Amino acid sequence: MTVIYIKDLIGRDILNRISARDILDAINNLDDTTITLNFEGVQFTTRSFMDEFYNIILFQKPSGKVVHIEAMSNDLAAMLEVVRKTQHNSVTKVAPQPYVTTKTIDDMKNLFAKLSI
């Protein structure tokens, strides 16, 4: 098993989709079939990076490779989960409960006043 340290390969802040392709290239250039992507020290990624990362590495899966993820911060893992849920028609609809309608501006102001802390 080979470990790729994402911070060393890309940096602590990952800002674009191209970085996901760089990770894929690193995976494909290894002879090992089991690869662990270690996200320790990665502090920030854009949603566009995470979208590309999910699609080309986790969803499509590099040919003949098994990829594991480790040491991903809770924030990055949460973003990855959001991306996963919004891909490939697995949309989760969220609606406030109970659903409230207002008829006038005053009704709306009163509703917002109740929601304020």
Side-chain angles (χ1 to χ4, degrees):
M1 177 179 71
T2 301
V3 177
I4 297 174
Y5 292 92
I6 302 302
K7 180 181 173 194
D8 295 340
L9 180 66
I10 307 295
R12 68 183 197 120
D13 296 325
I14 305 174
L15 305 175
N16 55 51
R17 291 179 177 273
I18 295 168
S19 297
R21 298 279 173 180
D22 293 340
I23 295 169
L24 181 61
D25 288 344
I27 291 169
N28 287 331
N29 287 329
L30 295 170
D31 291 330
D32 202 340
T33 58
T34 303
I35 293 99
T36 298
L37 302 176
N38 183 302
F39 278 81
E40 184 175 356
V42 176
Q43 295 182 355
F44 175 80
T45 69
T46 60
R47 189 189 188 294
S48 62
F49 161 79
M50 202 60 82
D51 179 72
E52 191 77 1
F53 175 78
Y54 173 81
N55 281 300
I56 68 171
I57 295 173
L58 301 181
F59 184 73
Q60 293 177 4
K61 299 179 181 166
S63 181
K65 309 282 184 173
V66 176
V67 178
H68 301 281
I69 297 173
E70 70 180 14
M72 186 177 273
S73 72
N74 291 339
D75 290 342
L76 298 184
M79 185 183 300
L80 181 58
E81 181 63 14
V82 166
V83 166
R84 185 191 66 74
K85 285 182 177 181
T86 60
Q87 298 297 309
H88 313 289
N89 297 323
S90 62
V91 175
T92 302
K93 294 182 180 179
V94 178
Q97 294 295 327
Y99 185 73
V100 178
T101 59
T102 59
K103 293 182 181 184
T104 67
I105 297 294
D106 287 334
D107 288 345
M108 188 178 295
K109 286 178 183 177
N110 290 334
L111 175 64
F112 286 149
K114 290 178 187 175
L115 298 174
S116 298
I117 296 177

